[in-house]
Amino acid sequence: MIKGLKSFFSKFRKLFKKKKKIKLGLYGPPNGGKTTLANRICKDWLGEEDAMGKASNIAHETREIQIKEQVVIKSKGRELIFNLVDTPGIATKIDYEDFIKAGMKQKEAKSRAKEATKGVIDAIKWLDEMDAVVVVLDSTKDPYSQVNITIIGNLQARDIPVLLVGNKIDLKKSDIKKVEAAFPQYAVVGISAKTGSNIESLYDGLFKLVK
Amino acid sequence: MMVSSNLSNKSMVKKVQKKKGGSLLTLQFIPYAEIESLSSSERIEKLLSIVKADKIVLLEGRLRSHEEAELIRSTMEQIDQKFKGIELSVIDPEEKKIKSITKIIRSSVLNLLLGNRKGFTIIGPANVVKEIKQDPDKIQLFTETGGKKR
């Protein structure tokens, strides 16, 4: 865990030295809490509510890449500037009937499914554009999914620094240890983007990179 | 339940048929040699064409990590009212020895250019395979007929 953190911070520090502004991507499977985290960051540092769009319990609420430019995080005289990129959740299947089951009308469900497929395609295309990525996982779910492995494998192949976030620690079923056990070489930060619980750890982690 | 198999063009096709209800589950084995000489796009096209015919692919070895991402991207491009996507899982017997997913990922990256014959990749059509669960000791394919998982 400590080794993983050091490795991530070391890569990240070099990145910040080379560039003043980076693209920080939020990646992960659907419903992990990427948009909730993006909104939390924008609320905490820009004072904007729902700046990156609304979050939902229905999967694929975010179907287009959302970018918030010039996010500035300040602390103790230091500052980080980055473009925050919220991406649609990556999935291997999308069935419009699932949206109907969630209460949508057929036309709306089909339209959402079509947009969701385009969103996944865009998210994969944007992998090459990222300077660093926070992978947001739902800590109440099994982390051993092929989608998670594929995302992280592709980031590693591109030598993009990765920080893992185990989200939803406010829920009873949350199991951060399971996420850490699945990815022991990566830094894992347990947070609740919804309540803001332990969010300072995420910000602290980012600041350590630019010492 | 009826199981039959035959050899077709190097790849083995196994058919599992329930006597009652008539639902047919076909498992097609693809040896790595069959995709080795193909380009990434040809590999993906081949695998997806089998899956889109409602067959479950059992591929010897694994795809390169960028090919896995491409497989997902191509799948998304081809989704329509009939084809709902895929279920994907990679099984590597070496995983037990090295334990962590990170090491597995690292191993995958090392095989980026060389390809990897170790383990198996299962790709199933999402309308047939609802979920693939990996347990340390077993692999479970959940299929769905008549609204019930089995």
Side-chain angles (χ1 to χ4, degrees), chain B residues 86-104:
Chain B
I86 59 170
E87 273 293 332
L88 172 68
S89 187
V90 177
I91 301 131
D92 188 342
E94 293 295 308
E95 283 180 12
K96 276 188 194 174
K97 292 177 190 170
I98 51 182
K99 287 182 179 174
S100 80
I101 282 181
T102 309
K103 286 179 183 173
I104 297 161

Side-chain angles (χ1 to χ4, degrees), chain A residues 120-140:
Chain A
V120 176
I121 293 166
D122 286 345
I124 292 170
K125 279 183 189 168
W126 271 71
L127 275 170
D128 288 320
E129 304 292 321
M130 298 300 160
D131 297 307
V133 165
V134 174
V135 176
V136 185
L137 304 179
D138 182 341
S139 67
T140 68

Side-chain angles (χ1 to χ4, degrees), chain A residues 92-94 150 154 182 185, chain B residues 65 68 86-87 101-102 130:
Chain A
T92 58
K93 59 182 179 183
I94 293 170
T150 300
N154 272 269
Q185 302 300 314
Chain B
S65 59
E68 278 182 18
I86 59 170
E87 273 293 332
I101 282 181
T102 309
K130 293 297 163 192

